[in-house]
Amino acid sequence: MRPSIPAGEPGRRHRSLVLAICCASVIVVVMDLTIVNVALPAIHRDLHSSLSSLQWTVDVYSLVLAGFLVLAGSAADRFGRRRVFQIGLGVFGLGSLLCGLAPDTGWLIAARVLQAAGGTMLNPVAMAIVATTFSGPAERARAIGVFGSISGLAMALGPIIGGILVDTLGWHAVFWINVPIIAVAIVCTALFIPESRAARPRRFDPVGQILVILVLGSLVYAIIEVRSQGWTSPVILGLSAVAALGALALLRYEPRRADPLLELRLFRSMPFTSAILTALFALCGFGAFLFVTTQYLQDVRGLPGLAAGLCLVPVGALVVLLSPLAGRMIPKRGPRPPLVIAGAALALGGAASLRLGPATPLPAVLGTFLLFGVFLGAVNPPITNTAISGMPRSMAGVAASLASVGRQAGATLGVAISGTILGSAGGAAFTTAEHGVWWLVLVLGVGIMALGVLGTGAWARRTAQHAAALFDEMDQGAAHTANAPDLPGVSPGPARPLP
């Protein structure tokens, strides 16, 4: 028999349990962004995959996540967050099972699409559940900090756990490990997470959704295929044109809707804008690092999957150590210090990686990886905090969802761009070709430092206050309309977008 959920505010132990269940869902979804990287050489050997197919194995997951995160969040607000969360868990578990059974790359990519479709119903919905469960500002900030830290930890643990599984049980196990975790999460969700909905669910925006998928899909496909097609090929030029026209259509269409899928008014807040760009830059840099490093360790240095995963233990250890420190630093000193530290570490990591070669001593390689651990440990907690800084509670879920979109889009672009830069280089040629990736990582690190300064000053805080006031006014107007008595012969008419 299912225990009854206490009425009113859940107790402290109950809230902690809800947070743990939501964090478990984040672990499997985010870990699958990185755990597959270590398995790529084994998948290549077993399924005889091309480099383009391997890129799509990684990128299609991030691409689907980025394209449907906001839609899943709005569906949860309308139909019930626990219900959508449970559906997402089931779909993700089924996709993971099918990935492990894949007989060829086409099957694997299709199963990754299904897996990612379930993942879209987990991260933003889990964030909304956490924001609803923890109503006190201080407690809510701590819970969001834990949530963000777990996300970074899962990303760092992916390659380590992946290396162990690939060497002991085979590449299929990197997908099958999700199934028992998902099964336990489904049961715990039914038992302990109360149902909740938004007071004013946002309307669906099918046109906006199609445009988002069109822009992201065209852009990523062009980047992945440019190596074989060439920049001047009709296919690449056509895809680039589609992405550009889709972006222009989004900018023109979305402001005209009362409840747009892509809430452009959020970008009037400089902290929010800087958080989205930081998420994009950060995950682009880390995605590029993982894609290149796992191949460097295995294909260039000849390490087995387990040894390659163990080489990334320093990254995971630093994330475990630094993420809580960064989370505690934010309430005291603001998000600027961890963002500047993260950007500097990423830039230095990119610069140091330029010196790596086939014969570089392993201690020097591991020392370089430490910089990426510092970066990932410091960057994740302030992203979510900055995204929702100053926003009213009604917009916190949307803001967090868009921050997740920035992360997924960044991870997708990082892998796609890295694959394009590397081409089919191998051996000593690989270490020369990867220099282009490390220069990109260096530039991204400098960009994060600049955003950390620009998005946390007095002017940035004023823009956040102005944006919050705009949404407060919108919510009050909606509540007034909902509570107003119906007058004979008077129709409320369609909702009008704010200027």
Side-chain angles (χ1 to χ4, degrees):
M1 178 182 295
R2 182 182 162 202
S4 60
I5 300 298
E9 186 75 13
R12 182 175 180 179
R13 180 178 293 182
H14 190 175
R15 293 197 298 273
S16 299
L17 187 56
V18 170
L19 177 61
I21 296 168
C22 291
C23 286
S25 75
V26 170
I27 287 173
V28 293
V29 173
V30 175
M31 194 165 63
D32 264 60
L33 284 167
T34 59
I35 195 171
V36 179
N37 283 277
V38 176
L40 290 179
I43 293 172
H44 172 67
R45 290 190 299 269
D46 194 13
L47 302 183
H48 308 290
S49 308
S50 65
L51 178 63
S52 177
S53 297
L54 292 178
Q55 282 182 261
W56 274 113
T57 301
V58 177
D59 274 338
V60 75
Y61 182 81
S62 300
L63 185 60
V64 173
L65 283 178
F68 290 94
L69 274 170
V70 180
L71 176 64
S74 64
D77 288 342
R78 180 176 295 274
F79 299 117
R81 297 181 179 114
R82 185 183 68 194
R83 177 183 299 175
V84 172
F85 189 68
Q86 286 177 304
I87 294 172
L89 287 169
V91 174
F92 187 88
L94 177 60
S96 298
L97 181 63
L98 293 176
C99 283
L101 296 172
D104 54 51
T105 310
W107 175 301
L108 179 60
I109 292 172
R112 288 281 279 173
V113 170
L114 182 64
Q115 191 187 35
T120 63
M121 293 179 260
L122 298 182
N123 275 17
V125 181
M127 182 72 251
I129 290 171
V130 170
T132 303
T133 303
F134 294 85
S135 56
E139 193 178 31
R140 184 176 168 213
R142 285 194 296 271
I144 290 172
V146 170
F147 197 79
S149 299
I150 289 294
S151 177
L153 176 61
M155 189 164 291
L157 287 177
I160 300 169
I161 296 174
I164 295 171
L165 292 173
V166 168
D167 266 19
T168 56
L169 300 174
W171 65 264
H172 307 81
V174 303
F175 301 107
W176 286 340
I177 190 177
N178 297 326
V179 177
I181 299 173
I182 290 295
V184 173
I186 289 174
V187 174
C188 291
T189 299
L191 291 175
F192 301 110
I193 293 184
E195 185 61 282
S196 63
R197 292 177 175 83
R200 189 182 73 87
R202 298 172 65 81
R203 299 170 183 172
F204 289 120
D205 180 9
V207 174
Q209 182 64 68
I210 291 171
L211 288 172
V212 167
I213 296 170
L214 200 64
V215 171
L216 289 174
S218 300
L219 181 62
V220 172
Y221 193 95
I223 293 173
I224 289 177
E225 296 298 328
V226 72
R227 179 182 61 85
S228 58
Q229 301 277 350
W231 284 106
T232 57
S233 74
V235 172
I236 301 302
L237 292 176
L239 288 169
S240 301
V242 169
L245 291 174
L248 290 174
L250 269 174
L251 294 175
R252 183 172 180 81
Y253 175 78
E254 292 296 274
R256 297 172 179 268
R257 289 185 55 85
D259 285 328
L261 176 78
L262 188 61
E263 183 55 86
L264 296 176
R265 287 167 291 192
L266 285 168
F267 290 91
R268 297 185 184 186
S269 165
M270 187 58 208
F272 173 82
T273 302
S274 67
I276 302 303
L277 290 175
T278 299
L280 184 73
F281 288 5
L283 269 296
C284 183
F286 195 71
F289 162 73
L290 284 180
F291 187 78
V292 173
T293 298
T294 51
Q295 293 182 71
Y296 165 74
L297 291 173
Q298 295 181 76
D299 295 341
V300 176
R301 298 188 69 100
L303 297 178
L306 176 58
L310 291 176
C311 286
L312 294 168
V313 166
V315 177
L318 280 173
V319 172
V320 173
L321 177 66
L322 295 180
S323 287
L325 295 178
R328 288 197 291 268
M329 183 187 298
I330 293 169
K332 298 177 181 178
R333 299 187 180 181
R336 180 180 290 184
L339 287 174
V340 172
I341 291 171
L346 183 62
L348 289 173
S353 297
L354 290 168
R355 302 179 63 85
L356 298 181
T360 303
L362 194 57
V365 175
L366 298 180
T368 301
F369 290 174
L370 288 176
L371 292 167
F372 291 95
V374 172
F375 152 71
L376 191 62
V379 80
N380 261 300
I383 287 176
T384 303
N385 181 278
T386 307
I388 65 173
S389 176
M391 289 293 167
R393 192 172 179 181
S394 63
M395 295 306 298
V398 176
S401 293
L402 289 173
S404 294
V405 171
R407 287 186 177 99
Q408 312 310 333
T412 303
L413 291 173
V415 173
I417 294 171
S418 298
T420 301
I421 293 173
L422 292 174
S424 57
F430 182 92
T431 57
T432 301
E434 69 177 325
H435 286 175
V437 177
W438 299 129
W439 279 112
L440 170 66
V441 169
L442 190 157
V443 171
L444 291 171
V446 173
I448 291 172
M449 284 193 289
L451 289 168
V453 174
L454 187 63
T456 55
W459 169 74
R461 288 192 293 272
R462 287 195 297 271
T463 65
Q465 292 167 358
H466 176 73
L470 192 68
F471 289 111
D472 277 335
E473 181 182 329
M474 180 180 71
D475 289 341
Q476 291 168 7
H480 176 75
T481 301
N483 295 326
D486 293 333
L487 298 177
V490 177
S491 169
R496 299 175 64 186
L498 289 174

